[in-house]
Amino acid sequence: MSEDEAGPGEWPVVVRVPVEPVEAAMEADALDAVARYSALAVRGPLFGVAAQDRDQGGGRRWPVVVEVTHGCPQQARDALNSLLWFRAKDEAKSPRERRALLAAVARLETEDVDELTVLGARYRVVRAEEYAAVDEHGGIETPRPTDPEPLTRDWSPGAGARSPRVDHGLVLDPDAPLSPLQAAERVALRPLAYSGSSFPAPVLADSERAVESHPDVLLMPAAFLIVERSGNGPWSPGSGLQATAHDARRTLDFALTWMEPRTRGLIPYDADRTVDARHPAAGIPETAAAKLKEFAEAADTLRAGRCDQVEAHGTVYRIARSRRLLRWGPDGPESPRPSDTSTHTPAALHPRLDEDGIVHVEEPAGDEPAS
């Protein structure tokens, strides 16, 4: 049976029994997680860009060129716009190549385009569903013991710039072999669709159609983020996705010691950047000093080991394990749905670049040149 003829539940999955110690440990971790976290909480869609090289046969492999972390389709289109503009500026080998890249940029500046082909590469804005495993009490899954961690935990300022980006080097490949539990999860999630009266009718209809048009799913590597909860309220996201749990912990450390004190008025926004909850300014009121101390103690607890939950001033902060799936059809990964909305419209993002690679910084219309 060909993929075009396959119906839901009939797409083949390659299963590989783990034999290496690390693979076996990861499978055991996954089994423990299945026993502990019995339900899923769906957060909503994320968007990125994948590419297929038609000049090299393409196949079913789609490398990710824009991380699948963006909150709306237009953000992913903007990222593709910038990617192609900088390729035209820095990598094009001839005016012909540069013209082709700039023609694609021009379309992205004016159109809601979700797919285009440039110099033999087929670029597609792709849609993933973000979800997390939850336990019977509504607790969101935390990092697993075998999730990637750096050999040395670096908490220094600027360490995040040296960390891997989410989806760096990722190739979407539905034919890649899976462990037994990965295969079971993939097959189990094929029928996943929105339901309930909280969703608008067009969203529900698009979700049902997607199960038919893209009957397979592909599971993406786990990512990590901060979630927070006050009292008995719901968990809410407190950061974007990070490639490792340590990156999320470092982000939380900065939030507790630097950002939260400023947001709550305990440290002025215009204070020296070195002033934080661990290093408060001299002479501050005792009440402010006590509140800063609570933030600093929570951050110090976070640094003490592989700690994934701390509390400060009535708010619980947790490092959560985020999961994403892409729906997959005969022509590859799913694009944005008609009911997916964007926060803004296409626009020019960069100065004009000509076919010779010269950047033209234009004077705003009506402005007089400076004398």
Side-chain angles (χ1 to χ4, degrees), residues 51-288:
Q52 186 183 51
D53 193 333
R54 287 182 162 178
D55 288 348
Q56 298 181 8
R60 300 220 303 159
R61 293 163 55 88
W62 290 70
V64 173
V65 296
V66 171
E67 61 271 20
V68 189
T69 61
H70 297 277
C72 72
Q74 189 55 46
Q75 290 176 344
R77 297 183 196 114
D78 289 347
L80 177 59
N81 180 329
S82 290
L83 175 71
L84 297 178
W85 189 90
F86 279 104
R87 284 186 178 173
K89 174 177 173 290
D90 300 328
E91 301 176 20
K93 296 180 176 61
S94 68
R96 182 192 67 82
E97 286 191 2
R98 193 170 288 113
R99 282 195 299 270
L101 290 162
L102 292 176
V105 169
R107 287 193 62 193
L108 288 162
E109 290 176 344
T110 57
E111 302 177 35
D112 295 333
V113 57
D114 290 326
E115 183 164 325
L116 46 80
T117 298
V118 188
L119 300 175
R122 181 186 186 192
Y123 296 91
R124 177 180 294 178
V125 177
V126 298
R127 181 191 198 276
E129 205 72 64
E130 185 184 10
Y131 65 101
V134 296
D135 61 24
E136 59 183 357
H137 305 294
I140 299 177
E141 183 181 13
T142 54
R144 299 174 184 175
T146 49
D147 283 328
E149 294 275 0
L151 294 176
T152 302
R153 297 185 183 93
D154 188 349
W155 300 92
S156 63
R162 300 188 293 272
S163 297
R165 294 175 64 99
V166 176
D167 298 336
H168 176 72
L170 177 64
V171 177
L172 305 176
D173 183 3
D175 300 319
L178 304 175
S179 74
L181 283 175
Q182 289 173 333
E185 182 178 3
R186 177 170 164 182
V187 172
L189 290 176
R190 282 174 174 174
L192 179 68
Y194 296 154
S195 62
S197 58
S198 61
F199 293 99
V203 172
L204 293 173
D206 280 352
S207 185
E208 291 178 2
R209 278 193 293 268
V211 175
E212 299 297 324
S213 63
H214 295 76
D216 198 11
V217 299
L218 185 146
L219 305 181
M220 301 182 69
F224 305 88
L225 75 158
I226 303 164
V227 295
E228 53 191 63
R229 179 171 68 180
S230 298
N232 295 320
W235 291 100
S236 60
S239 75
L241 294 184
Q242 306 286 335
T244 71
H246 179 69
D247 290 323
R249 294 188 198 104
R250 185 173 51 238
T251 300
L252 178 54
D253 179 86
F254 174 79
L256 292 171
T257 58
W258 200 94
M259 185 57 70
E260 284 288 345
R262 285 166 168 77
T263 301
R264 300 187 184 213
L266 301 174
I267 298 175
Y269 273 104
D270 59 357
D272 188 278
R273 288 188 60 84
T274 61
V275 175
D276 61 17
R278 290 192 179 95
H279 310 94
I284 63 173
E286 289 186 6
T287 53

